[in-house]
Amino acid sequence: MNFIWYILIGLLSGFVAGKLMRGGGFGVVVNLVVGIIGGVLGGWLFSLLGIYTDSIIGSLITSVVGAIVLLWLVSLISRQ
């Protein structure tokens, strides 16, 4: 059941990150995939900082931050 929550939170965070990043969105489907990958990236980044979350809201924030970082990195690469 937790796996389904991770996917749903990743999808939602990809949507939110796509809306927050002006010019960083690449379409709905790509933003949703970026959200799922960004959730993993955000969890890794937050664990490096010693920040751990137990709630759904904390997981959503972690995932959104990871998705924003990933969208920013993808936009840097795609410009060149």
Side-chain angles (χ1 to χ4, degrees):
M1 187 68 178
N2 287 337
F3 184 70
I4 294 171
W5 278 115
Y6 291 140
I7 291 174
L8 291 175
I9 289 172
L11 293 174
L12 182 61
S13 67
F15 177 76
V16 171
K19 294 297 179 187
L20 290 176
M21 294 286 293
R22 279 200 273 171
F26 295 101
V28 175
V29 175
V30 175
N31 283 347
L32 297 179
V33 171
V34 165
I36 293 172
I37 297 170
V40 174
L41 178 64
W44 179 70
L45 288 173
F46 275 38
S47 70
L48 288 177
L49 297 173
I51 302 170
Y52 300 98
T53 62
D54 291 334
S55 66
I56 292 177
I57 300 297
S59 297
L60 181 63
I61 292 170
T62 301
S63 187
V64 167
V65 169
I68 288 173
V69 168
L70 188 60
L71 279 175
W72 177 69
L73 290 173
V74 169
S75 69
L76 285 178
I77 293 170
S78 67
R79 285 186 193 163
Q80 298 173 355

